[in-house]
Amino acid sequence: MMKELRIVSLFRQYDSPEELPAEDKNLLMMAREAAKSAYAPYSQFYVGAAVLLENGVIVKGNNQENAAYPSGLCAERVAIFSAGANYPGVAVKAVAINAFSNEFKITDPVGPCGGCRQSMIEYENRYGKDIRVLLMNDDGNVIVTDTLKSYLPLVFSAESLKRKISV
Ligand code: THU
């Protein structure tokens, strides 16, 4: 018999990063700073991501484009893979994402693309700890969620493969 499955994701909205704890506000500023160094000559859409690790280290990333378009990589994956490569075994606490364009105003906070959601949730599963995600538009409006699961209902994971992953 058909049953309706309702999956709820909770997001909190703030008018300004000033309303957030210093740690989150700082992470958003780091993401904004990272966006300024993006290499995005093709899209001219500059994205920055800042990953806060449990040991307090912040790893930044930004989009890196390529003349062969699919060979580039999003800011979030550059940041999270850099964290995984340089700080293996250190859990991820939070990720902030910020984007700007010289051509238009970012009115809605830019959320991570599907591939980046999947890539980032791997680290939530790897360390068994939820990752807080912070987004901010050009006016400083912020959207926060306490876990990447909010972005990926019915996620494909190690569990789907009946695999046990170790840190
Ligand atoms: N981009 C990101 O860096 N993160 C996202 O979540 C969405 C898209 C980049 C990829 C490409 O360099 C540019 O933004 C336009 O799609």
Side-chain angles (χ1 to χ4, degrees):
M1 206 179 78
M2 194 280 272
K3 273 188 203 162
E4 202 174 53
L5 185 63
R6 227 168 261 256
I7 304 174
V8 177
S9 290
L10 184 97
F11 296 87
R12 294 187 299 281
Q13 251 186 320
Y14 300 87
D15 291 337
S16 155
E18 299 301 327
E19 296 173 46
L20 299 171
E23 184 177 84
D24 288 356
K25 185 185 152 191
N26 180 50
L27 202 63
L28 277 165
M29 297 309 130
M30 291 290 155
R32 190 143 192 88
E33 195 181 289
K36 291 180 191 152
S37 315
Y39 177 60
Y42 303 102
S43 72
Q44 302 202 15
F45 190 75
Y46 305 88
V47 188
V51 171
L52 173 66
L53 303 181
E54 211 172 40
N55 63 4
V57 169
I58 293 174
V59 180
K60 290 191 284 183
N62 41 41
N63 48 333
Q64 298 294 318
E65 295 187 349
N66 193 280
Y69 296 161
S71 299
L73 199 61
C74 292
E76 297 90 325
R77 267 177 280 182
V78 169
I80 200 91
F81 291 161
S82 175
N86 292 295
Y87 299 92
V90 185
V92 176
K93 254 180 106 174
V95 179
I97 302 159
N98 189 241
F100 75 89
S101 158
N102 293 327
E103 295 164 354
F104 54 87
K105 186 174 167 178
I106 310 277
T107 49
D108 296 315
V110 167
C113 82
C116 287
R117 293 174 193 208
Q118 183 70 35
S119 299
M120 290 192 288
I121 205 168
E122 183 71 28
Y123 293 84
E124 192 164 288
N125 295 333
R126 176 177 179 183
Y127 301 117
K129 288 187 179 148
D130 286 351
I131 298 175
R132 193 161 66 256
V133 184
L134 302 124
L135 317 176
M136 185 172 68
N137 72 0
D138 280 348
D139 288 329
N141 303 146
V142 178
I143 291 181
V144 184
T145 187
D146 288 326
T147 166
L148 273 154
K149 293 185 237 351
S150 303
Y151 283 97
L152 281 169
L154 308 180
V155 64
F156 184 78
S157 67
E159 221 165 271
S160 324
L161 294 168
K162 306 274 178 238
R163 282 267 175 230
K164 289 255 175 285
I165 46 173
S166 58
V167 171

